[in-house]
Amino acid sequence: MKGFILMFLVIGHLYEPFGMTHSMKYFYTASSEVPNFPEFVIVGMVDDVQMVHYDSDSQKVVPKQDWMKQTDTQYWERQTATALGSQQTFKADVDILKQRFNQSGGVHILQYMYGCTWDDETGQTGGFRQLGYDGEDFLVYDMKTFTWIAPKQQAMITQLNWNHDQSGLAFRQNYVTQTCIDWLKKYLDYGKSTLMRTVPPSVSLLQKTPSSPVTCHATGFYPSGVMVVWQKDGQDHHEDVENGQILPNDDGTFQKSAHLTVTPEEWKNNKYQCVVQVTGIKEDFIKVLTESEIQTSWGKTNRDDPAPNIVLIIGVVVALLLVIVAVVGVVIWKKKSKKGFVPASTSDTSENSGKDAQKI
């Protein structure tokens, strides 16, 4: 299970907004014999903010943001009906794949990710769709030809069937190039007070011991598009730099760290600085590496200030929470069992309604 959780954490930012690019993503997961985990989960996200959730235990699609409550009752009823149909198809697909891979019992995961991106400055759009089984690519959607590619022999039957379904191909192309974009814009309008805001980061330089790496920690920023770069004498410096993942805070903002391994002699004889750039904010946020700027628990600077330790503890807790969220809602990155998409003008997730589902 650890493998596909980490996969989501990485993939979650393959399409993260940078510049003024917005994204909508849906993650589906069907599982077999995973203890204390629903057999089927759907998570929908806009700009990396979870907006809807469904699982086979509750059997109900629910909003995860207040701004999603603007939608009417019929919307949630349709979404739930669609999710219930998908749940049955995905469950059957897991059984089909176990047969294809000559598997019997044990833990197995079928994952599916699809969505789109839109740049509100240039108007450029993009799309993506991918399935995976047990942590490996199963089918990949080619955005140039709008057809499926099978990385594995066991997927070739599905590839041939789906690529010969002309109505299905046409629908998937229309969804990823138009319908998905329209719904993304609609959701952005619903949540514009939250999703379209910009919040500057708080930047700190942290160090545990004199021999530890110096951490440039940016937190509290929004949106999630960020660059945290160490510079030496005015030039970007990548040697001995380890970049951390972008992680969410409980208030909807984000945090990211970059760790620089450097000796005190080196940074005292050269100008090292951390530069943070956040999407939508023209100003750069800079911290010059000096003794007075380093927050630590071992030196004179902030000796009695527990804030740095608290920041690090919060970072660890948030990272753990992200993993929990990934398990509970998005261990899903490669899955797509049923068909591709069932057209329904009233729902952005209708591509997976049971009405026109294709079996793997």
Side-chain angles (χ1 to χ4, degrees):
M1 180 179 297
K2 188 181 296 182
F4 62 78
I5 294 173
L6 293 178
M7 184 183 307
F8 169 73
L9 295 181
V10 174
I11 291 174
H13 288 284
L14 285 179
Y15 302 99
E16 73 178 296
F18 201 84
M20 294 304 290
T21 301
H22 303 280
S23 66
M24 182 169 75
K25 313 169 196 174
Y26 280 93
F27 302 91
Y28 288 54
T29 296
S31 60
S32 172
E33 299 186 32
V34 178
N36 304 314
F37 187 73
E39 286 188 328
F40 185 64
V41 176
I42 299 175
V43 169
M45 305 182 78
V46 170
D47 285 359
D48 292 332
V49 174
Q50 186 179 356
M51 59 173 183
V52 295
H53 176 87
Y54 171 90
D55 63 62
S56 53
D57 291 344
S58 66
Q59 296 195 352
K60 187 176 182 180
V61 178
V62 294
K64 301 301 289 185
Q65 301 295 327
D66 288 340
W67 46 265
M68 279 299 292
K69 296 176 183 177
Q70 298 181 43
T71 52
D72 56 30
T73 303
Q74 288 72 27
Y75 171 89
W76 298 106
E77 292 175 351
R78 290 191 300 267
Q79 295 285 24
T80 296
T82 296
L84 285 168
S86 298
Q87 176 181 324
Q88 297 304 314
T89 306
F90 280 52
K91 182 177 180 180
D93 285 343
V94 172
D95 293 334
I96 292 172
L97 289 177
K98 285 195 292 186
Q99 294 177 20
R100 286 198 199 168
F101 284 87
N102 295 319
Q103 299 165 335
S104 53
V107 172
H108 298 287
I109 307 290
L110 177 61
Q111 300 169 293
Y112 176 38
M113 176 184 76
Y114 69 89
C116 56
T117 60
W118 169 62
D119 189 310
D120 64 7
E121 289 186 340
T122 67
Q124 183 176 358
T125 62
F128 42 92
R129 187 178 293 122
Q130 194 158 353
L131 287 91
Y133 182 64
D134 286 349
E136 296 184 357
D137 288 344
F138 183 76
L139 281 175
V140 179
Y141 190 70
D142 186 343
M143 282 296 297
K144 294 182 179 179
T145 63
F146 300 104
T147 58
W148 292 98
I149 299 172
K152 286 187 170 294
Q153 181 181 359
Q154 292 87 344
M156 293 187 67
I157 297 175
T158 308
Q159 178 199 30
L160 291 173
N161 289 338
W162 289 3
N163 284 345
H164 276 89
D165 177 9
Q166 295 302 314
S167 62
L169 289 177
F171 183 79
R172 286 192 276 274
Q173 178 177 348
N174 181 72
Y175 178 87
V176 80
T177 58
Q178 188 59 51
T179 306
C180 183
I181 305 298
D182 292 343
W183 277 97
L184 170 57
K185 293 178 180 178
K186 183 177 294 189
Y187 291 142
L188 287 171
D189 184 60
Y190 286 169
K192 58 188 174 184
S193 62
T194 299
L195 298 173
M196 306 297 281
R197 77 189 192 280
T198 56
V199 182
S202 171
V203 183
S204 303
L205 300 183
L206 312 174
Q207 192 175 35
K208 295 180 181 178
T209 69
S211 58
S212 300
V214 179
T215 295
C216 178
H217 182 74
T219 188
F221 57 85
Y222 191 92
S224 63
V226 67
M227 289 187 66
V228 180
V229 179
W230 277 102
Q231 292 184 344
K232 176 182 178 181
D233 297 332
Q235 301 295 318
D236 287 356
H237 182 74
H238 304 290
E239 185 178 352
D240 297 321
V241 173
E242 179 183 354
N243 292 302
Q245 292 286 334
I246 298 174
L247 301 175
N249 294 322
D250 345 353
D251 61 357
T253 61
F254 296 88
Q255 61 173 290
K256 181 179 171 64
S257 296
H259 314 284
L260 170 67
T261 300
V262 61
T263 64
E265 293 76 21
E266 174 69 13
W267 62 256
K268 288 177 180 178
N269 293 327
N270 297 275
K271 182 181 179 181
Y272 282 87
Q273 62 183 18
C274 178
V275 180
V276 178
Q277 299 173 325
V278 177
T279 296
I281 301 179
K282 295 181 179 180
E283 177 187 359
D284 290 348
F285 300 87
I286 301 173
K287 281 287 185 180
V288 178
L289 179 53
T290 61
E291 190 170 2
S292 61
E293 282 288 358
I294 297 177
Q295 298 183 26
T296 180
S297 58
W298 51 264
K300 285 204 273 188
T301 306
N302 297 325
R303 172 178 296 177
D304 301 319
D305 183 4
N309 290 329
I310 292 174
V311 169
L312 292 175
I313 292 171
I314 290 175
V316 172
V317 172
V318 169
L320 292 174
L321 288 175
L322 181 63
V323 172
I324 292 172
V325 169
V327 174
V328 172
V330 236
V331 276
I332 30 187
W333 122 243
K334 312 169 130 212
K335 130 79 310 184
K336 152 171 199 164
S337 116
K338 63 181 327 180
K339 137 205 155 195
F341 300 102
V342 169
S345 59
T346 55
S347 172
D348 69 303
T349 58
S350 58
E351 68 167 50
N352 285 304
S353 70
K355 169 185 174 184
D356 189 29
Q358 287 179 256
K359 292 288 185 180
I360 275 187

